Amino acid sequence: MAPLSRADRVEAGLRDAVSSPDRARAADQLCAACVELLDVDGAALSLWLDGDARGTFGASGTLSRRLDELQFTFGEGPCVDAVRTDRPVLVNDLDQARQARWPAFTGAALEAGVGAIFAMPVRIAVMPFGSLDLFRHRAGELSDADLNAGFEAAELATLPLLDLMSSQVDWAAVGEGGDASEQLASLERVEVYQAVGMLIGQLDVTPAEAMARLRGHAFSTGATASEVAWRIVDRRLTLEGDVL
């Protein structure tokens, strides 16, 4: 029997990664497989619903998870654009994007040692419900083979996402506590929606303004939105009036 080509080995490895019936584990395994099989240093899979980022569904490690969280915090970045435009966003040299695109996110990502990001929308039917982001420390293009493998990984990412979407989760109740929040405990941003709910009541503001205040405080203090949210939920931080 002839040995498998690299493309066949990569395809087999990616498909094996999503074979776990545990959807959260499958998402993490797919991200880890991207790092193992492709010329990238990190990967993250985000979940979006109704135009809003719901959480980091899978990640290859702490840095990848934090980079995805930073895009949510600043409301900008390759992942955000990939979902909103439903097109891949390939940034070969992140430093060149500092001025023209995503100034807040780019500065934080470069400080974290990231040189290139490749974001692929994850579609269910014809709608983007997430993004697979591939990170690399050094700048430079992905090879055609790795880029095609990245697109294939984004297609396979629909499997754990479909499993999550088909579960009995009351998405409207996320942020209000109870069963829905418990079912989504693996998604990092549940605490953000809990904190936003608290701010709405405390400050008598709209949900959009509450989210803007939370993100504004995160930006001004160098924290992520989730870190600020945990402080609010734990009552270690109070945002008063117009003061961030």
Side-chain angles (χ1 to χ4, degrees):
M1 179 181 296
L4 292 176
S5 66
R6 179 181 183 273
D8 288 337
R9 292 196 304 272
V10 169
E11 179 180 0
L14 293 174
R15 291 187 177 278
D16 183 63
V18 294
S19 63
S20 172
D22 182 332
R23 56 180 176 257
R25 183 181 179 190
D28 283 341
Q29 288 182 165
L30 179 63
C31 292
C34 287
V35 175
E36 179 182 353
L37 299 169
L38 310 182
D39 185 21
V40 298
D41 299 305
L45 174 61
S46 60
L47 170 66
W48 288 63
L49 287 172
D50 300 324
D52 194 11
R54 295 288 181 165
T56 306
F57 188 37
S60 60
T62 302
L63 176 59
S64 296
R65 187 172 291 275
R66 183 171 181 81
L67 288 169
D68 189 60
E69 170 67 15
L70 285 172
Q71 294 186 78
F72 171 77
T73 299
F74 298 131
E76 64 180 31
C79 165
V80 178
D81 285 5
V83 173
R84 291 180 176 168
T85 65
D86 191 22
R87 300 185 64 178
V89 178
L90 310 178
V91 186
N92 301 322
D93 188 345
L94 190 61
D95 192 39
Q96 296 301 314
R98 179 188 289 273
Q99 300 300 326
R101 306 168 73 180
W102 327 304
F105 168 75
T106 300
L110 288 170
E111 186 176 341
V114 175
I117 302 180
F118 312 95
M120 292 88 168
V122 177
R123 303 180 183 92
I124 297 177
V126 294
M127 296 293 294
F129 278 87
S131 174
L132 177 67
D133 289 3
L134 305 176
F135 305 102
R136 196 160 61 182
H137 293 308
R138 69 184 187 282
E141 297 181 359
L142 280 180
S143 67
D144 289 343
D146 280 356
L147 187 58
N148 289 334
F151 289 133
E152 182 175 0
E155 292 181 5
L156 290 171
T158 61
L159 299 177
L161 279 182
L162 276 171
D163 191 24
L164 177 67
M165 299 290 290
S166 64
S167 64
Q168 297 302 310
V169 175
D170 182 3
W171 294 100
V174 172
E176 299 176 1
D179 292 342
S181 292
E182 291 177 6
Q183 290 174 353
L184 292 176
S186 63
L187 296 187
E188 194 168 88
R189 296 180 199 129
V190 170
E191 69 275 5
V192 172
Y193 297 97
Q194 292 175 332
V196 165
M198 293 173 65
L199 291 176
I200 291 170
Q202 292 169 1
L203 304 179
D204 190 25
V205 295
T206 65
E209 186 174 353
M211 180 67 81
R213 287 171 184 252
L214 187 153
R215 281 174 161 157
H217 186 83
F219 179 75
S220 66
T221 59
T224 67
S226 287
E227 290 166 346
V228 171
W230 278 125
R231 295 170 196 160
I232 294 172
V233 171
D234 290 342
R235 303 187 186 282
R236 291 181 285 119
L237 173 66
T238 300
L239 304 186
E240 298 180 359
D242 295 329
V243 179
L244 294 177

